[in-house]
Amino acid sequence: MIDFTLSPELTLLQSTARELARDRLAAVERRLEADRDVGDELRRLFDEVGLARVELPEALGGAELGALARAVVLEELGAGDPGAALALDPLGPAAYVVQELGGSEALTALAKPILAEPGARALLVHDHRPRFHESGGTVQGQFPWVPADRVDLLVVLEMERAYVVREGIHLEPVRGAGLRAAGASELRLDGAPIVESWVSTPATLQAHARGRLYVASLLVGVLRRAYEYSRDYALERVAFGRPIAHHQSLAFLIADMATAVDGCRMLVHEAAWRLDQGDPAVEACAGAFVECCEQAMFVTPNALQLLGGHGFMLDHPVEKFMRDARALTLLLGGVDAAREESGRDLGERDGPVALTLGESSWT
Amino acid sequence: MDLRPDDATRERLAQARTLGRELIRPVGLEADRLGRPTPPDHPFFEQLVRLGLGRTRWTGEPPKKRAAVVGNARGMLCVAEELSYWDRGVAVSFPGPGLGEPPLLSMGTDEQRERFLTPFRGSDRPRWGSFAMTEPGAGSDVAGIRASARRDGDTWILDGDKSFAANASRADWIVVWVTVDASLGREGHRAFVVEQGTPGLGGFHVERKMGLKAYESTSFTLRECRVPAANLIGGEEHYARRAGFKGAMQSFNATRPTIAAMAVGIGRSALDEAAAFAREAGVLRDVRVRDRLERVRRRLRVARLLCWRAAWLADHRQPNVMEASMSKAFAPTAAFEAASLGMELLGMEGGRGDHLIEKLFRDVKAMDIVEGTGQIQRLLMARKLVGLPRDPA
């Protein structure tokens, strides 16, 4: 029966992640942003706790707790600093692509060296333009921005295939619109040899879906923090004789922001639950991503608005929430590509539209 | 975590769907075409009674004995959504104690439950209960009701006007909210069961509505209406213990996610019709059309999850004021978007005024008004979220 209970294991994981994100990321978010890196100490700490490994297979030291556990952890890290969250996850969503297309052995082989070297990172890009061109087993091309200053393993996801390169990766630092704690570079491939390559449409769709859910989970965290931060400010700031949160126009706005955050989280959890059940989830993951992107541009600008002029200044982190959120929505093909996936079945199917998995078989 | 209704609920959903397709939808279209509520002697109601519908939830035991048991708000909410998919107006017209039931269950004495709910345990004929709070001058501002009650020996004398009470003219009794002292605000509120035929109860006027025509929204008057003291719900002791307003708000509270789920049902209906129309018109794969359908489905999915969560909390006796209001604030707007998009896709076909989507477009707007407008829901949420004062200076 319909039940939203998180298991005790997940609740514990959530509070661990929440504490770490608050004390070790959010507390120093401006420094992380300026440093464009999380530093060795944080990397060591997060590696010990193992938050980046909750979903990984045991062969890689993972806990195999599933997609919902990952979503819960990523929300917390996103609420801390989403750029740092990317930097502290050596494999990130690149692991999904290798796992879905190449299988567990390929994942183990490619991921082990990354996990063994502190600071090493695998990066996933979705090349749907396309920007990279292959000739004779090597790749040329340029990608305008990746949230990284170091890439040891690049996984390129196309519509029907994916490939991996390890050499010939050149990074040119750029300022970065957001997510700066992860670094920010223009990425160029110059005769980069393809190490592995796989072709499978269903697997690329599934991998892409899981990647989108990853980003969506981070977005939920950013949105929640933006909502909470601006709500707390609105309770302290007095104008016209009362806290601005007690002016009805702002009280209603705050209520709508809370609703937006909860709605995003519910779609993310629903999609993750589907993945954990082994049920079809491509549409649900894409839908969760789109919802998070749309609500990101409702919640974060309004969070800033609640602070008025102070929101525009760097003394408060709300301007960062807005930039980080916008930057996240650009990843893995962005929102329009996700909208395409989220609505694809609507253009193809006949009969009633299902909101919930398996609905057509209920009645 | 589990995001699927259980087998028992799915079975009830299947029944609701059959009932919806075969009976509810046609009766709803008929009422809309004729522009009047389905009359109480319509064979449809007899059919429902024969199917065992229109009964009370009351089992004959004092409800407190069941308080520890996990409730089934989730199951009832799922069924409400499905019935509304076929026709929300017809679903409200169903025989049964209706919104009068929650106050009797939560506040009533054993004797009162016995007297007023027992007839709803059998199935001799269609019977209705009704609930009247709203007045011509007091809608969202529930504390502002003016209908009055004054004690006279063993009876109370009620005076006032009530509006928009569902099924009131056909009801065996109406739970009527009045005040013993308007200056006391909500502290002065009392709920009485006023039985049909009581002298002074009259002036029934079935309102004409934009949509949801299948059930009657009725205004009536109380003029020197004498009601036995035994009909004061919960008895005088109850009001000495608790504010009358709270009782009323509790009964709203239990209903909010269900009303929100009904909006999801209407929205889902509009989405299905819109997609079917777009398919036939050959524009379903048009990116501009599909993207908007995608958004509508996504918003309805959010709405359903918000409803489910509020009901899940209620089932586990967890405080759910915030979550219930959130679902009620959100779902009607998502459903409206669905119906409005449907009209847009229909284009001039929608302008004719005889398409199901056009009916849904009229029906759905009420969902953002009944059981607390979207604005009232935001007020309730803001009280929880930022401690919004009740009466800002």
Side-chain angles (χ1 to χ4, degrees):
Chain A
M1 189 50 163
I2 299 159
D3 191 325
F4 293 84
T5 314
L6 292 182
S7 68
E9 192 179 27
L10 254 178
T11 312
L12 185 66
L13 188 64
Q14 184 181 42
S15 62
T16 306
R18 182 168 298 181
E19 227 167 89
L20 268 179
R22 186 190 57 216
D23 300 342
R24 308 304 298 259
L25 303 184
V28 293
E29 60 198 335
R30 289 300 193 183
R31 200 194 76 218
L32 299 175
E33 206 184 17
D35 290 353
R36 300 167 61 101
D37 188 23
V38 290
D40 291 339
E41 195 197 331
L42 262 187
R43 248 191 295 274
R44 246 194 321 274
L45 173 68
F46 274 75
D47 185 54
E48 275 166 25
V49 181
L51 291 179
R53 294 193 302 270
V54 290
E55 206 183 359
L56 285 180
E58 273 183 39
L60 290 169
E64 296 189 11
L65 290 177
L68 182 61
R70 190 72 175 284
V72 166
V73 167
L74 286 171
E75 175 184 333
E76 298 306 329
L77 299 183
D81 184 310
L86 294 176
L88 289 164
D89 191 349
L91 298 173
Y96 296 147
V97 176
V98 178
Q99 192 173 37
E100 294 291 343
L101 284 99
S104 300
E105 281 179 26
L107 178 63
T108 309
L110 288 168
K112 266 204 168 147
I114 303 289
L115 293 173
E117 191 187 339
R121 279 180 68 189
L123 189 83
L124 171 65
V125 295
H126 176 50
D127 188 29
H128 63 307
R129 295 272 183 216
R131 297 177 184 279
F132 296 132
H133 302 280
E134 186 195 340
S135 69
T138 63
V139 187
Q140 297 279 131
Q142 177 260 16
F143 217 77
W145 165 65
V146 293
D149 281 345
R150 171 179 175 172
V151 176
D152 300 81
L153 183 83
L154 181 71
V155 177
V156 180
L157 181 68
E158 297 178 342
M159 298 309 286
E160 286 161 8
R161 72 158 190 169
Y163 58 86
V164 178
V165 300
R166 264 191 303 230
E167 286 158 29
I169 304 170
H170 304 281
L171 295 171
E172 185 71 36
V174 293
R175 186 173 59 171
L179 307 174
R180 288 180 191 151
S185 303
E186 176 186 310
L187 183 147
R188 196 164 41 80
L189 293 184
D190 196 2
I194 291 180
V195 195
E196 291 269 14
S197 170
W198 310 279
V199 177
S200 161
T201 306
T204 56
L205 283 173
Q206 184 75 3
H208 204 164
R210 294 174 69 187
R212 283 182 172 127
L213 194 63
Y214 182 105
V215 178
S217 306
L218 289 173
L219 273 167
V220 175
V222 178
L223 267 57
R224 188 188 86 206
R225 177 107 184 280
Y227 155 71
E228 287 173 351
Y229 192 96
S230 58
R231 177 201 61 195
D232 292 349
Y233 177 88
L235 280 167
E236 281 171 19
R237 174 79 176 182
V238 173
F240 304 104
R242 70 187 92 140
I244 60 172
H246 290 178
H247 292 286
Q248 215 173 61
S249 61
L250 299 191
F252 281 22
L253 175 63
I254 289 167
D256 287 340
M257 288 164 72
T259 305
V261 174
D262 279 15
C264 287
R265 181 185 300 111
M266 300 197 103
L267 285 194
V268 165
H269 284 193
E270 203 239 2
W273 173 76
R274 289 191 195 201
L275 282 171
D276 287 342
Q277 301 282 307
D279 286 326
V282 169
E283 172 254 309
C285 290
F289 180 87
V290 176
E291 182 68 12
C292 289
C293 294
E294 285 187 6
Q295 297 312 320
M297 288 305 110
F298 168 67
V299 172
T300 61
N302 275 312
L304 195 155
Q305 190 75 13
L306 280 165
L307 273 79
H310 288 296
F312 200 68
M313 305 301 150
L314 298 189
D315 303 326
H316 288 280
V318 284
E319 62 82 28
K320 175 177 177 292
F321 301 153
M322 193 176 103
R323 288 185 294 106
D324 282 346
R326 187 73 267 187
L328 282 168
T329 65
L330 308 177
L331 297 174
L332 303 186
V335 66
D336 274 332
R339 205 172 262 126
E340 183 75 19
E341 215 50 68
S342 175
R344 187 183 302 283
D345 66 311
L346 286 171
E348 288 164 3
R349 67 199 305 280
D350 205 353
V353 177
L355 302 184
T356 300
L357 187 73
E359 188 168 345
S360 54
S361 66
W362 292 356
T363 52
Chain B
M1 180 173 286
D2 184 6
L3 299 178
R4 255 181 295 219
D6 59 9
D7 289 344
T9 304
R10 289 210 291 269
E11 204 170 294
R12 291 175 65 203
L13 283 172
Q15 290 163 0
R17 173 149 292 206
T18 308
L19 188 68
R21 190 184 292 113
E22 291 172 5
L23 284 174
I24 296 175
R25 174 73 51 86
V27 168
L29 289 172
E30 178 192 84
D32 193 65
R33 197 174 58 247
L34 297 174
R36 54 103 181 101
T38 311
D41 59 358
H42 196 291
F44 167 65
F45 295 125
E46 292 284 354
Q47 272 176 292
L48 292 182
V49 168
R50 277 199 299 278
L51 289 169
L53 294 160
R55 298 187 183 185
T56 177
R57 282 188 282 142
W58 184 55
T59 57
E61 288 166 45
K64 273 179 190 144
K65 282 189 185 165
R66 306 186 304 136
V69 180
V70 172
N72 192 26
R74 287 162 293 176
M76 295 199 301
L77 179 147
C78 287
V79 173
E81 185 201 305
E82 185 62 26
L83 293 176
S84 291
Y85 177 93
W86 297 101
D87 197 297
R88 198 262 169 176
V90 174
V92 178
S93 78
F94 271 30
L99 287 176
E101 186 178 51
L104 278 168
L105 290 178
S106 64
M107 300 157 55
T109 63
D110 288 343
E111 293 73 24
Q112 286 168 339
R113 280 189 279 271
E114 186 74 37
R115 260 178 80 200
F116 299 115
L117 292 179
T118 299
F120 289 90
R121 295 183 67 195
S123 58
D124 56 335
R125 65 169 173 85
R127 293 170 186 275
W128 288 267
S130 183
F131 176 93
M133 170 72 85
T134 298
E135 297 181 3
S140 293
D141 183 10
V142 177
I145 60 168
R146 287 290 171 270
S148 64
R150 62 196 151 89
R151 181 106 201 208
D152 183 27
D154 279 347
T155 62
W156 288 81
I157 302 171
L158 311 189
D159 272 290
D161 300 336
K162 288 289 172 186
S163 322
F164 311 155
N167 303 321
S169 82
R170 65 188 65 186
D172 289 5
W173 45 255
I174 310 168
V175 170
V176 180
W177 285 86
V178 294
T179 178
V180 291
D181 183 350
S183 71
L184 290 178
R186 54 191 76 107
E187 297 298 313
H189 286 190
R190 301 288 183 272
F192 287 92
V193 181
V194 182
E195 290 159 277
Q196 200 67 261
T198 307
L201 169 66
F204 288 102
H205 170 72
V206 176
E207 301 286 349
R208 297 172 64 230
K209 288 179 291 194
M210 178 195 196
L212 300 178
K213 295 179 195 255
Y215 77 95
E216 53 158 307
S217 296
T218 303
S219 301
F220 62 89
T221 56
L222 300 156
R223 297 283 180 267
E224 293 274 324
C225 181
R226 277 184 183 270
V227 175
N231 287 24
L232 173 60
I233 298 184
E236 302 221 37
E237 316 77 59
H238 173 81
Y239 300 92
R241 283 199 310 271
R242 284 169 30 191
F245 187 79
K246 263 194 178 158
M249 290 314 285
Q250 276 172 356
S251 70
F252 281 138
N253 189 358
T255 320
R256 259 177 255 147
T258 306
I259 298 285
M262 290 176 177
V264 175
I266 298 175
R268 205 155 51 77
S269 190
L271 173 60
D272 282 352
E273 293 299 318
F277 182 86
R279 190 177 295 115
E280 250 171 59
V283 297
L284 189 59
R285 289 173 188 226
D286 183 319
V287 171
R288 198 173 289 153
V289 171
R290 215 196 52 195
D291 276 1
R292 286 186 292 167
L293 288 170
E294 184 276 330
R295 181 181 148 90
V296 162
R297 172 172 64 182
R298 176 156 46 80
R299 305 294 278 169
L300 287 173
R301 182 176 289 157
V302 170
R304 179 185 272 174
L305 289 167
L306 290 173
C307 293
W308 283 5
R309 179 178 63 167
W312 165 71
L313 288 168
D315 279 342
H316 290 85
R317 307 292 187 269
Q318 301 283 313
N320 78 338
V321 170
M322 236 287 298
E323 290 80 2
S325 284
M326 197 180 266
S327 69
K328 177 63 181 65
F330 185 89
T333 55
F336 182 85
E337 189 176 336
S340 183
L341 170 63
M343 282 294 278
E344 217 168 296
L345 295 180
L346 286 181
M348 301 308 274
E349 298 281 338
R352 287 167 54 94
D354 56 4
H355 196 283
L356 174 58
I357 291 179
E358 188 270 339
K359 175 182 179 293
L360 295 169
F361 177 70
R362 285 180 287 113
D363 286 350
V364 73
K365 191 68 198 79
M367 307 313 290
D368 202 23
I369 299 168
V370 297
E371 298 299 325
T373 61
Q375 289 65 41
I376 292 297
Q377 305 308 332
R378 285 170 177 82
L379 271 182
L380 296 171
M381 288 169 70
R383 279 180 197 158
K384 292 280 170 199
L385 295 172
V386 294
L388 185 72
R390 279 177 181 272
D391 301 301

